[in-house]
Each structure stands twice: as C-alpha cells, then as structure tokens.
Amino acid sequence: MAIKTSESKISKTVAKATTARLFFLSASSGEVFSANPDGSDLKVIVSEGRRLPDGIVADVEAGHLYWTNMGNPRANDGSIERANLDGSNITHIVPPGATFTPKQLQLDEKNRKLYWCDREGMRIMRANLDGSKIETLLDTSEGDARPGKDIKKWCVGIALDVEAGKLYWTQKGSDNAGEGRIFRAGLEIPKGQSAASRKDIELLYGGLPEPIDLELDLANRTIYWTDRGDPPRGNTVNRAPMQPALGNGNEPAIIFDHLMEGIGIALDLKGGRMFLTDLGGSVYSANLDGSNKKTVLAAEGNLTGIVYAEIPERTR
C-alpha cells in the first residue's frame, strides 16, 4: 500500500508541474498574447507593429514559440520568427523575402521541422527549426507569376499527420464563392515528380464557403477547421472524417457558429476542448462537439492564429 501511495503522490506531483497556456496573435496590433485557458492572466509578450502575424506554434520541449508574419502580400517580405515562451530573445528564422505571405504554421516535433502555407506564394513550404533547408513541397501556381492573383490557388491552412506521412491544407477561394477546398498529399514529393507536378494530391472536401485554419484529431481520424465565409455555412467551425465517404452520412458537420470571421483553431485533445479566434477580436472555447461554448476574451483586435500548450513549470 505504501508503494501505491508513493506512486500516487508522484503522479499528482507530475500533473501539477505543468501549466496550460494559450498563445494567440493580433494582426491589427502585431502582438503575441499569452493567457490562461479561461482568459485570465492576459499578457502581451511580443509587440512588433503591423507585420500581420498569422500562424503560431509552440515547441514546448525547446521552450520556443514560432509565428508567421504575412507582411505586405505584394512585397515578398513575409517571415517566420522565434522567441522564448515568455516572448524574449526574438530572432528571424525564415527572413523577410524567403516566403511571400506565410499563413498557418505547424510543427513536426518528431522530425524537428516547420511547415506553412504561403498564400500569395501559392505553395506549401517547410524548413528546419533554425530556418535552414527551406523547401517548396507543393506549388499550385501552374506557372503564374508570384504574387499570385488567382485566389483559388492560394494555400491558407495546414495540418500534419506525420506518422501517416500526410499533410492537409485549405485553399479558400474567392470570398463566399463556394470555391473552398481541403486537400491531402504526402509529406514528401513522390520520386520523379516536382512540387508543381506531383500526382498524389487528393481533394477531400469541396464547395466550402471559405475554409481557413485546420487541426487534426488523429486518434479519431477527424479534421476540424474554421470557415470565415458568410452564414449559414460560414463563420463556423466544422469537422469531418479524414477519410471522407461523401454521400454516406460523412458530410462536414457545423459544430460552432456565429463567429465574426473565424480564423484560428487549437485543440486540447486531452481536455476534450477547442479554442478559436476571429477577426472580431474574440477568443472562444467549447467542447470538441461544439457544446459548452464560452467567450474567453473579447475586443482584443483582429485575432488570427492560436495554439494551446501545456508548459512545464521550469520553462515558464
């Protein structure tokens, strides 16, 4: 019995040694925010001015945040930056001009890579965590000059299934045109093919209003995404199977609505909840089925990317 009690105490100690935090971005102020999941202890940890930050990830293991700056979509000055979890020690990882308009960002923890969608660049890219070895994995331009003018070719949201070797992404299309699509392809370009000619691209869902950011629940093989189009199908959070069987009851389901141009989404799978941002300036929380909706914060600017992280006390 003594051993069991000791193990229980150790388990509880470990559980108490992490703190959950939200990190999210304001494109209007150029700020990186940090807050508790209930919205308390709100802090501005980075303030860079109008560089239009959009996507953010947390590398808790290394104690770092990474985020994209869209910059001027016509100036080819997009960048990716890194800072400590408290906002200190900011440095360029991907310098201005190495990507046009980087949007949602994802971290491959296993292989220590960053992946992102480049909107006006009409491509999906990745790099090492120090910014080296920048690669283009997908080129949707079909020969068009960058920055791309055809909105249907713009890549926006991205998610990774590293174990299966797959990436997922959105192309939102024109405003409320029903051109939004979600695609899937391999993490690696097939042998003998190129970023512009790869043949392994699958269209999973089409005819969507304006799908933006993506997240995956791998255990339940489910895609979650925000949509900033007009109601009733837009300004929503949707979910659908990662392996669609359209016509068999697996159409995308709307699980959250009344967003004010929804952008960011982060899943806390252990806690069975999600966090959302919109350009109206709010942060929301809800259960993964959309129940228990709460407005966590409001009137914080034009909010974009968000990430949920459980941080060991020693790195705070």
Side-chain angles (χ1 to χ4, degrees), residues 57-62 66 106-115 126-129 160-166 187-188 218:
V57 294
D59 182 2
V60 173
E61 179 183 324
Y66 294 85
Q106 293 287 1
L107 170 67
D108 174 357
E109 294 185 31
K110 179 180 179 181
N111 299 298
R112 313 306 289 162
K113 296 275 188 179
L114 293 171
Y115 287 74
R126 75 178 171 195
N128 293 332
L129 295 187
L160 306 177
D161 182 356
V162 174
E163 293 305 317
K166 299 290 184 179
L187 287 174
E188 305 298 333
L218 295 175

Side-chain angles (χ1 to χ4, degrees), residues 126-180:
R126 75 178 171 195
N128 293 332
L129 295 187
D130 62 0
S132 62
K133 199 178 179 184
I134 298 174
E135 302 173 84
T136 296
L137 301 177
L138 175 74
D139 184 340
T140 63
S141 68
E142 298 178 322
D144 289 355
R146 295 182 174 89
K149 296 180 180 180
D150 186 348
I151 298 175
K152 292 192 297 295
K153 297 179 179 179
W154 290 0
C155 303
V156 179
I158 187 170
L160 306 177
D161 182 356
V162 174
E163 293 305 317
K166 299 290 184 179
L167 60 85
Y168 294 70
W169 73 96
T170 64
Q171 292 177 216
K172 84 174 189 70
S174 302
D175 294 352
N176 299 300
E179 298 171 344

Side-chain angles (χ1 to χ4, degrees), residues 11-12 50 57-58 88 99 144 165 170-171 181-182 195 201 207 254 260 264 278 281 304 306 316:
S11 177
K12 289 178 180 178
R50 286 189 56 79
V57 294
S88 63
T99 182
D144 289 355
T170 64
Q171 292 177 216
R181 294 169 290 172
I182 298 176
I201 297 169
I254 294 171
M260 297 294 288
D278 62 22
T304 51
I306 186 169
R316 293 186 69 221

Side-chain angles (χ1 to χ4, degrees), residues 60-78:
V60 173
E61 179 183 324
H64 291 149
L65 291 171
Y66 294 85
W67 66 93
T68 61
N69 283 319
M70 293 185 286
N72 180 339
R74 300 293 166 186
N76 192 22
D77 64 351

Side-chain angles (χ1 to χ4, degrees), residues 49-50 75 80 122 125 139 152 161 164 180 215 239 262 285 308:
R50 286 189 56 79
I80 299 177
M122 301 174 289
M125 307 180 77
D139 184 340
K152 292 192 297 295
D161 182 356
E215 290 293 337
R239 69 178 180 183
S285 69
Y308 170 86

